[in-house]
Amino acid sequence: MRLRPHSPRRRSVAIFPAPSRFNLAALQVEFLAEDETIGIIPSLRMDPLHLISGDFGPFRPQISAIVPLWLAIALKKRGKCRIQAPEWMTVERLTEVLEEERQQPQEFRPLPFHYIEISRLLFDHAQDDIPDCYLVRSLIEDIRNVRFHKIEAGLEKLSNKTFAVKLTNLSAMEVNIIRPFTVRTLQALFKHGSDEYHRHSDDRFSQPTVIRVS
Amino acid sequence: MADGEEGAGLEDWTDPSIASSAEVSDAGLLQRAWRNEKLSPELLPFQGELVERVKEQILLEEENLAAFVEESCDELTVSLYRMDLDRTLFMLRSYLRARLLKIEKFALHILTVPEIWERLSSQEQDYAQRFADTLQAHFDSSVLNKLPEGYKSMLKQANSSNENDMIVEPPLDSFVFCKCRRPISAFQLDDKGESIVDMENGDLYIFNYKPIKRLLETDRIELF
């Protein structure tokens, strides 16, 4: 199962694919991630913005400000600011995280919930603001791969006795990718497993489990 | 140096108590309502007051925008306000569309179960009624009137059925991904009392929808 979110290069604000059933499209997860705040260093002067999303500014040249990611990118695209790479997006931090991910086959390291979407957006629009961008990018790719392997391994443990699954430290995009498969699987297991479950008097099968994908 | 982010460890990024104050603003509430509605297998209660407030804010922003354009404010400010407006409009519309999708899917069920009927806004109720009527007329004229007596009902397979077995019901036994908003201790997941969980603030879980329905309605968890 090799699933990757598809992120087209150009996107119009109004067009989001309508996912079937009760799912979110990858672009919609990105839309949610764009509300996360990030630091910028504006190169312009602007009065405070009183938006529905919140109040931001005033903006003064070289004085850092905190704005939602979509706003930061809009300003960056027009050359009106530099974006401050988030604390966690450095070679040192990410190398640590990768090491720890590799050492613990059953657990996930804590990462920002939207780390995949945030890093993708920054790579697309603010490469020059990320020190050692290529290295950071490849580290994040590796982290994603290691984590996804663990997720696949965890999914193999689903059974008809699964009442709940704890997903400690999983991120938004990872959750979104496994959602359709996991929901369908759990539903099918639930439906087909419940009769067997009731008929079995064997003790081995009588304990329901909470699987920890953590 | 961005304030608030100095020395923030990786762990702080996942600490829900540091979650933005955007959680309680209307924009944050709309985002949550949108996510919940998109991901839940059944229709949730209509957030009428929230929608009204958001509509007012949208109108206000549209007026401001028109004023800015009149005064030929700089193009950047105008475009930023426009983006914010577009984003809010998208969320509101998507929220309403997600509901309409479910209304169409489960129209007959909605009309026959009063508890669910209550969850619709008056415009949605109007829509649901007209949709069901149109559906009925269509089925009658294309299929049902041509079937033998005793099989003409849209609600029952045959007049001899005990219940309305042709009505599609929302799949309450589906599974959903949820995030905990308030700590919950010793929550019982099944009727036998064999499966009990303790949930901390911010925990991410996959649950069967039926047992946690109540928690969703009381805002103690949210869907993701």
Side-chain angles (χ1 to χ4, degrees):
Chain A
M1 177 178 67
R2 222 60 188 124
L3 304 169
R4 291 251 178 271
H6 171 61
S7 186
R9 283 178 183 283
R10 266 182 34 226
R11 59 190 202 281
S12 141
V13 170
I15 300 173
F16 286 83
S20 58
R21 300 209 98 212
F22 311 110
N23 293 318
L24 289 178
L27 277 180
Q28 289 168 333
V29 179
E30 189 181 69
F31 179 78
L32 289 171
E34 287 173 337
D35 276 333
E36 297 288 299
T37 50
I38 196 167
I40 59 165
I41 313 252
S43 58
L44 84 172
R45 184 179 201 86
M46 197 162 62
D47 286 335
L49 295 169
H50 301 294
L51 307 171
I52 298 179
S53 320
D55 296 322
F56 309 105
F59 302 100
R60 302 279 175 264
Q62 310 314 318
I63 310 266
S64 73
I66 305 227
V67 293
L69 194 50
W70 63 267
L71 186 55
I73 292 185
L75 289 174
K76 174 77 188 176
K77 273 186 181 169
R78 289 169 173 76
K80 303 292 188 192
C81 75
R82 288 193 332 265
I83 296 190
Q84 294 175 304
E87 281 255 320
W88 54 272
M89 257 178 94
T90 58
V91 174
E92 296 79 36
R93 281 277 201 204
L94 290 173
T95 314
E96 261 178 49
V97 170
L98 182 58
E99 259 316 295
E100 290 162 359
E101 287 281 3
R102 283 184 172 145
Q103 279 164 6
Q104 288 167 328
Q106 308 282 359
E107 293 191 2
F108 294 87
R109 300 308 298 155
L111 276 170
F113 192 52
H114 292 287
Y115 83 93
I116 296 181
E117 303 90 273
I118 295 177
S119 57
R120 170 81 66 126
L121 283 167
L122 291 180
F123 291 142
D124 283 349
H125 302 287
Q127 266 188 334
D128 48 337
D129 289 332
I130 304 176
D132 301 315
C133 185
Y134 288 122
L135 199 47
V136 170
R137 194 178 210 149
S138 107
L139 280 168
I140 292 191
E141 279 289 314
D142 290 341
I143 290 173
R144 282 183 66 175
N145 283 336
V146 172
R147 288 169 66 100
F148 208 78
H149 272 118
K150 288 192 219 176
I151 291 175
E152 288 173 332
L155 285 176
E156 283 173 28
K157 298 202 207 112
L158 295 178
S159 75
N160 60 297
K161 283 164 272 340
T162 313
F163 271 104
V165 185
K166 188 164 197 238
L167 304 171
T168 309
N169 291 332
L170 242 61
S171 77
M173 194 55 89
E174 287 156 359
V175 160
N176 198 56
I177 292 177
I178 62 168
R179 190 198 326 273
F181 170 77
T182 312
V183 168
R184 283 204 314 267
T185 307
L186 285 172
Q187 266 184 288
L189 287 170
F190 199 66
K191 188 168 90 168
H192 298 299
S194 55
D195 290 335
E196 280 173 50
Y197 171 61
H198 290 303
R199 278 205 298 269
H200 258 118
S201 54
D202 189 342
D203 268 346
R204 277 183 301 137
F205 294 109
S206 66
Q207 287 306 313
T209 50
V210 175
I211 310 252
R212 296 172 184 284
V213 183
S214 66
Chain B
M1 211 65 63
D3 45 353
E5 281 178 30
E6 281 211 89
L10 221 48
E11 284 68 26
D12 291 352
W13 281 95
T14 55
D15 184 348
S17 63
I18 297 192
S20 47
S21 62
E23 289 252 306
V24 291
S25 72
D26 281 343
L29 289 172
L30 178 62
Q31 206 215 68
R32 188 155 22 109
W34 175 55
R35 261 187 291 130
N36 284 345
E37 195 70 63
K38 272 230 134 210
L39 297 169
S40 79
E42 64 166 352
L43 203 59
L44 299 173
F46 184 62
Q47 305 283 328
E49 286 162 10
L50 172 63
V51 167
E52 278 314 306
R53 291 199 308 267
V54 172
K55 273 159 77 169
E56 269 173 37
Q57 290 196 45
I58 288 177
L59 274 173
L60 202 62
E61 200 168 53
E62 279 178 344
E63 284 170 11
N64 285 342
L65 210 54
F68 285 155
V69 171
E70 279 262 318
E71 300 159 11
S72 12
C73 246
D74 68 297
E75 177 264 319
L76 176 63
T77 312
V78 167
S79 87
L80 292 175
Y81 273 95
R82 182 81 241 170
M83 277 180 130
D84 178 62
L85 190 59
D86 284 341
R87 287 179 68 91
T88 313
L89 274 171
F90 165 71
M91 254 196 301
L92 182 60
R93 286 173 178 155
S94 195
Y95 171 69
L96 296 172
R97 268 200 304 263
R99 292 179 63 83
L100 280 179
L101 200 77
K102 285 191 233 182
I103 290 174
E104 289 184 5
K105 233 176 169 176
F106 308 120
L108 296 176
H109 183 248
I110 290 172
L111 286 171
T112 49
V113 178
E115 191 227 349
I116 312 237
W117 181 253
E118 295 305 312
R119 298 186 194 169
L120 277 70
S121 69
S122 57
Q123 290 143 318
E124 286 171 346
Q125 287 176 340
D126 215 33
Y127 180 80
Q129 186 68 67
R130 281 181 296 133
F131 181 82
D133 290 342
T134 313
L135 202 63
Q136 172 91 65
H138 170 61
F139 279 150
D140 280 345
S141 67
S142 55
V143 175
L144 295 178
N145 284 341
K146 303 182 176 126
L147 295 178
E149 281 305 325
Y151 292 91
K152 289 195 182 183
S153 161
M154 191 163 80
L155 304 177
K156 298 188 173 161
Q157 289 203 45
N159 282 356
S160 52
S161 305
N162 293 330
E163 336 163 298
N164 293 338
D165 46 7
M166 284 301 283
I167 297 188
V168 181
E169 292 187 10
L172 294 182
D173 57 0
S174 181
F175 285 79
V176 290
F177 288 62
C178 15
K179 245 201 229 183
C180 188
R181 301 191 66 237
R182 315 225 180 293
I184 299 173
S185 54
F187 183 69
Q188 196 172 319
L189 282 179
D190 67 332
D191 0 280
K192 295 199 189 62
E194 283 167 348
S195 208
I196 311 225
V197 283
D198 289 311
M199 293 187 265
E200 297 298 312
N201 211 348
D203 280 352
L204 195 59
Y205 274 97
I206 309 179
F207 285 130
N208 192 310
Y209 182 74
K210 236 193 261 168
I212 52 100
K213 212 166 96 99
R214 189 71 315 168
L215 294 176
L216 182 63
E217 285 164 14
T218 51
D219 254 351
R220 296 171 79 190
I221 58 169
E222 55 183 354
L223 299 185
F224 183 78

